[in-house]
Amino acid sequence: MITFLGAILLLVAGYFIYGKIVDRIFGVDDRIPTPAYKNQDGLDYVPMSWWKGSLIQLLNIAGLGPIFGAISGALYGPVAFFWIVIGCIFAGAVHDYFSGMMSLRHNGEQFPALVGRYLGQNVKKFINFISIILMILVAAAFTAGPAQLISSLTPLSFISSLVVVFIYFLVAAVLPVNKIIGKIYPVFGAILIFMAVSIAVALMFSGKQIPNLTLANLHPGDLPVWPLLMVTISCGAISGFHSTQSPIVARTLKKESEGRKVFFGAMIGEGIIAMVWAAAGMTFFGGTGGLQEAIAAGGPAGAVNEISQSLLGSLGGVLAILGVIILPITTGDTALRSSRMMLSDMLSSVMNMDGKWKVSIVTLSVAVPTFYLSTIDYTFLWRYVGWTNQLVATVMLWTGAIYLLKNRKFHWICALPALFMTAVVSTYIFYAPEGFQLSYRISMIIGSILTTIILGWYVLRIISFKQKDKNDYAKQAA
């Protein structure tokens, strides 16, 4: 119990203390007109209040991620608490803040455009492809589950339910951001917060003992904490998916000083939600062994449903159904919207047509493969989403580091978590079942070598910038 409450307080303190430090280093300036006003188009660039933006951002980045991921990560035991707090404050919130604020500062640019601006066009092409594939996979995954539940609760078949969900997706993806997303998503965001608070309060008064921190690995399957935990719990700690969502809200903010509340704050909120569900997972079933049995019987959704109904009764059942239907749908439609925006940017130089026709054609081009993937068993593809997601997060952090380096600011706030995540993704892909399946020791060695190479590249960039400063100073002196 002490660890759980202490972790919540640390996350809140991280927002007020470290969030202000990051904000000061970035250097917000409310005198700079935001894209919401400069590019106002009635579709994506629409000024909205910061509190709406914050709830929309929370819903966009969260969905079921900090619930299902935290439940699965709880199999490792209370060490998951440690990762959520450290990862959320020093990596995830920094990642989300810079993905949003850099978009805000650069005219509402999408994540791949920011990567191209600071890491080069070759990296941009790679990330464009990876990001759109990630968006399609996320949208497909977050469509099939709700459609299955809708078909089980109504006379509709699975395909009919899928069609209903996709009709909503298409409408939400092409309508102005303030018409559907701006009106109902703040309500759904509030429901997500209410759900987490209700579970937390009920858990603390349930008589069950929430375990305190231990760094021991309690996974029943004896899977290593490093680097698997850092991929299992992504939403709630750090997730590359967020960098694709931040530009949606960045195009609606009225001034730069709202960025910390929206981007850093929403990530801290997601970390608290993940903390609640990780605690519930490892507490409710009497330990990690019981949790593993519950997940094996009904998956993370089954575990969430059992926890909700047992702790909150009929209210919990309603919240669980709302969560499993509404939350993934709202994540899926913004994933589709993000992929539409990215593809539009990619094709802007070759598509000279009316704006509405362009939006419709581009939306359909990403919706069709998403619909197809939702109808088949594509588990073999979904296994790669976790690693791809964290790879995107790593690239975004390096983009933020180079941005700060170029602007002669304290770049290590992005570079250190970027280096950490480089080690995570470099080691994971060689060890994981969906990767090269090498031995743990060999994977650790390869991961260390690759991380050292990336560190060397970054040190050379630092030296290059310092040399440029010396040359500029010498020219001015002459």
Side-chain angles (χ1 to χ4, degrees):
M1 178 77 77
I2 295 176
T3 296
F4 173 67
L5 294 176
I8 298 293
L9 290 176
L10 284 174
L11 286 168
V12 174
Y15 169 76
F16 286 104
I17 299 174
Y18 197 62
K20 287 184 178 179
I21 293 173
V22 172
D23 210 34
R24 191 177 301 115
I25 291 172
F26 180 82
V28 297
D29 187 351
D30 283 342
R31 295 172 299 179
I32 301 175
T34 64
Y37 292 112
K38 289 191 297 183
N39 302 338
Q40 191 167 354
D41 63 358
L43 179 63
D44 296 319
Y45 294 90
V46 180
M48 290 197 302
S49 60
W50 72 264
W51 66 268
K52 278 189 177 182
S54 186
L55 286 171
I56 291 169
Q57 176 75 358
L58 176 62
L59 195 67
N60 287 356
I61 67 174
L64 287 175
I67 300 177
F68 283 9
I71 289 285
S72 299
L75 288 169
Y76 291 90
V79 67
F81 294 158
F82 183 80
W83 165 237
I84 291 172
V85 171
I86 299 299
C88 182
I89 295 173
F90 297 104
V94 172
H95 167 279
D96 288 18
Y97 178 87
F98 275 89
S99 65
M101 293 303 291
M102 288 174 64
S103 175
L104 191 67
R105 187 63 66 84
H106 291 298
N107 220 28
E109 281 186 352
Q110 289 289 306
F111 163 62
L114 295 173
V115 171
R117 183 183 289 270
Y118 291 100
L119 297 183
Q121 292 303 308
N122 290 331
V123 182
K124 176 186 176 180
K125 292 175 184 177
F126 171 72
I127 284 298
N128 250 323
F129 174 76
I130 290 293
S131 298
I132 292 175
I133 293 298
L134 177 61
M135 293 303 94
I136 290 174
L137 288 174
V138 168
F142 285 172
T143 302
Q148 289 172 350
L149 185 55
I150 290 172
S151 65
S152 68
L153 297 174
T154 67
L156 294 176
S157 66
F158 171 70
I159 294 298
S160 298
S161 301
L162 205 59
V163 170
V164 170
V165 172
F166 259 87
I167 290 174
Y168 164 75
F169 273 13
L170 293 173
V171 172
V174 300
L175 280 181
V177 68
N178 61 330
K179 295 301 181 183
I180 292 181
I181 294 176
K183 291 185 182 300
I184 65 174
Y185 279 34
V187 177
F188 293 154
I191 291 174
L192 178 63
I193 295 172
F194 176 75
M195 185 179 182
V197 171
S198 300
I199 291 294
V201 172
L203 188 65
M204 288 189 290
F205 289 96
S206 66
K208 299 179 182 293
Q209 185 62 42
I210 301 175
N212 287 317
L213 180 63
T214 172
L215 297 182
N217 182 4
L218 302 182
H219 198 291
D222 198 31
L223 295 177
V225 170
W226 172 270
L228 301 189
L229 178 60
M230 290 75 195
V231 176
T232 302
I233 300 182
S234 54
C235 290
I238 177 171
S239 168
F241 175 72
H242 299 183
S243 64
T244 68
Q245 302 302 293
S246 294
I248 294 177
V249 179
R251 296 180 178 190
T252 70
L253 295 188
K254 296 179 179 180
K255 53 185 179 180
E256 287 193 352
S257 58
E258 295 173 344
R260 181 170 68 93
K261 301 172 187 175
V262 172
F263 303 117
F264 204 99
M267 184 60 214
I268 293 296
E270 189 187 56
I272 293 173
I273 293 170
M275 185 67 64
V276 169
W277 284 101
M282 65 183 73
T283 302
F284 183 81
F285 298 101
T288 57
L291 175 60
Q292 185 182 49
E293 293 176 2
I295 293 176
V304 168
N305 185 56
E306 187 173 347
I307 291 170
S308 300
Q309 291 200 31
S310 298
L311 292 179
L312 302 177
S314 57
L315 172 63
V318 172
L319 289 175
I321 291 174
L322 284 174
V324 174
I325 293 178
I326 293 177
L327 296 182
I329 287 177
T330 55
T331 299
D333 71 359
T334 52
L336 197 64
R337 189 181 189 94
S338 294
S339 60
R340 184 263 293 169
M341 291 163 65
M342 289 180 190
L343 196 56
S344 293
D345 290 348
M346 287 176 61
L347 301 177
S348 59
S349 61
V350 296
M351 291 185 69
N352 296 317
M353 62 176 66
D354 178 74
K356 292 182 179 179
W357 276 105
K358 178 180 176 181
V359 168
S360 300
I361 291 173
V362 172
T363 301
L364 285 173
S365 68
V366 292
V368 170
T370 302
F371 184 87
Y372 173 71
L373 286 173
S374 300
T375 64
I376 66 173
D377 182 10
Y378 64 103
T379 308
F380 71 100
L381 287 175
W382 180 246
R383 292 184 314 194
Y384 293 91
V385 171
W387 179 78
T388 304
N389 184 51
Q390 299 304 63
L391 175 64
V392 168
T394 305
V395 173
M396 181 63 237
L397 284 170
W398 282 121
T399 304
I402 296 297
Y403 167 81
L404 292 173
L405 187 60
K406 279 191 171 183
N407 286 278
R408 310 309 188 259
K409 296 182 178 182
F410 186 69
H411 51 91
W412 291 108
I413 59 169
C414 283
L416 288 178
L419 195 64
F420 177 86
M421 291 306 299
T422 299
V424 168
V425 297
S426 298
T427 304
Y428 183 89
I429 194 61
F430 288 98
Y431 176 71
E434 63 269 28
F436 294 98
Q437 302 181 33
L438 301 180
S439 70
Y440 187 64
R441 182 183 179 188
I442 295 297
S443 300
M444 289 283 285
I445 292 173
I446 296 175
S448 299
I449 292 172
L450 292 175
T451 304
T452 303
I453 292 172
I454 296 297
L455 175 60
W457 161 81
Y458 190 64
V459 169
L460 290 176
R461 295 299 296 268
I462 295 173
I463 294 172
S464 174
F465 278 110
K466 287 185 176 180
Q467 186 61 48
K468 184 178 183 300
D469 286 343
K470 288 181 180 179
N471 294 338
D472 290 344
Y473 179 76
K475 289 180 181 178
Q476 291 175 1

